[in-house]
Amino acid sequence: MVVTSYAAPAGPVDTRVSDVQGGPAPVSPTQSAWQRYRWTVLRFLSPVALLVLWQIASAAGVLSERVLPAPSLIFDAGLELLRNGELADALAISGTRVVQGLVLGGLIGVALGALVGLSKLAEATVDPPLQMLRALPHLGLIPLFIVWFGIGETPKILLVALGVAFPLYLNTFSAIRQIDRDFLDTAVVLGFSRRQRFTTIILPSIAPQLLVGLRQSLAIAWLSLIVAEQINAESGLGYIINNARDFLRLDTIIFGLVVYALMGIATDGIVRVLEKRALRYRLDA
């Protein structure tokens, strides 16, 4: 048998060949950081670029202040509201309305969704009227709400609650129906009580879809509040916008709408954090 020896080539070995064969070649720390955060950076820069173009167009006279004030003017209007304390008071009042409507509508939506999801009888009797009510544009019920409940706080909170209830109802109902029946049957065989079945099987199973419904409900809650606070509001962000409309303060009106949007984004971010914490067991799996 002839043994053939192999001598390593002189000089440094090009490790890129092994990198290609064994996997992708490692990138430099700078490239790795850019690849990791490039989409976050782009998401941040795109609205900034839009604001810069907006400001330039306003300064050049392309956009009239009577149509769309410059971002600097809107910022100044916001600072004015912040300094005189109106913005803080309005946020507290509007936030309270959203929380009250969210709690009321959330409890109703989740309770009805659980009832219909767990009972065929409830699905046959309760679901059809709810689907008919869901088909109605809830913002179109404002005249009826004014006739029934006046122009105080009640119609505003109920309008938010009505918009909140249906996304949670549908997501709860759908999530319960997607639970594997074998899990529930096994729990019955093992002697689990109704409470134990709910806490150990039903609730963890519906949590992901329930949180999705909560995010949808929060967006609808702020949208409903924007319209609800136009009903003879004497406080809150809607009052600031209505008051600015009477004095033709477009900068204040746009700032109020921006605050609505920022509050919606902030509350959605809070739910996303809760979602990550509550469902971290799914991410770790």
Side-chain angles (χ1 to χ4, degrees):
M1 180 176 65
V2 179
V3 178
T4 303
S5 61
Y6 173 77
V13 178
D14 188 1
T15 59
R16 291 179 296 177
V17 176
S18 61
D19 291 334
V20 172
Q21 295 175 349
V27 296
S28 64
T30 304
Q31 291 174 331
S32 178
W34 167 247
Q35 290 181 353
R36 179 178 300 179
Y37 299 109
R38 66 183 184 277
W39 300 119
T40 303
V41 173
L42 290 175
R43 285 174 64 91
F44 174 77
L45 289 180
S46 58
V48 172
L50 180 61
L51 288 176
V52 171
L53 291 176
W54 182 0
Q55 182 67 38
I56 293 174
S58 298
V62 177
L63 291 177
S64 172
E65 293 183 2
R66 296 182 178 181
V67 177
L68 192 62
S72 58
L73 297 178
I74 298 173
F75 181 76
D76 292 340
L79 282 181
E80 180 183 351
L81 293 174
L82 185 62
R83 288 169 180 168
N84 59 25
E86 291 184 30
L87 181 60
D89 295 338
L91 285 176
I93 295 171
S94 296
T96 301
R97 290 168 178 161
V98 166
V99 170
Q100 291 175 340
L102 183 65
V103 171
L104 178 61
L107 290 176
I108 295 174
V110 172
L112 291 176
L115 176 64
V116 174
L118 295 172
S119 171
K120 288 289 187 179
L121 177 61
E123 182 181 4
T125 57
V126 177
D127 185 63
L130 290 177
Q131 295 298 337
M132 294 174 61
L133 183 59
R134 185 176 70 90
L136 295 174
H138 75 286
L139 297 180
L141 299 177
I142 292 179
L144 282 177
F145 277 32
I146 294 176
V147 173
W148 291 342
F149 308 108
I151 56 175
E153 291 295 305
T154 302
K156 299 177 179 61
I157 296 173
L158 290 180
L159 193 66
V160 174
L162 184 61
V164 163
F166 286 108
L168 286 170
Y169 165 74
L170 293 174
N171 280 275
T172 303
F173 166 71
S174 176
I176 290 177
R177 286 303 171 91
Q178 293 177 18
I179 297 176
D180 193 340
R181 294 295 306 179
D182 292 339
F183 292 158
L184 296 175
D185 294 339
T186 303
V188 173
V189 172
L190 294 176
F192 281 25
S193 64
R194 290 182 178 271
R195 180 178 179 182
Q196 289 175 323
R197 276 179 280 171
F198 180 78
T199 56
T200 59
I201 297 177
I202 296 177
L203 187 59
S205 299
I206 69 174
Q209 200 162 339
L210 191 62
L211 289 171
V212 171
L214 180 59
R215 292 180 61 185
Q216 295 173 342
S217 295
L218 277 171
I220 296 176
W222 285 105
L223 175 63
S224 301
L225 183 68
I226 293 176
V227 180
E229 288 190 331
Q230 308 302 314
I231 307 174
N232 195 30
E234 297 180 354
S235 58
L237 288 172
Y239 170 74
I240 291 178
I241 292 177
N242 287 336
N243 192 40
R245 178 197 60 195
D246 295 337
F247 291 95
L248 301 179
R249 291 289 305 272
L250 291 180
D251 51 356
T252 304
I253 293 174
I254 296 176
F255 178 78
L257 296 176
V258 170
V259 172
Y260 274 123
L262 292 177
M263 293 299 294
I265 294 174
T267 51
D268 182 75
I270 293 173
V271 176
R272 293 183 65 179
V273 171
L274 294 176
E275 184 178 7
K276 289 181 180 179
R277 291 182 61 87
L279 306 179
R280 59 185 181 274
Y281 67 93
R282 294 167 60 95
L283 299 176
D284 296 337

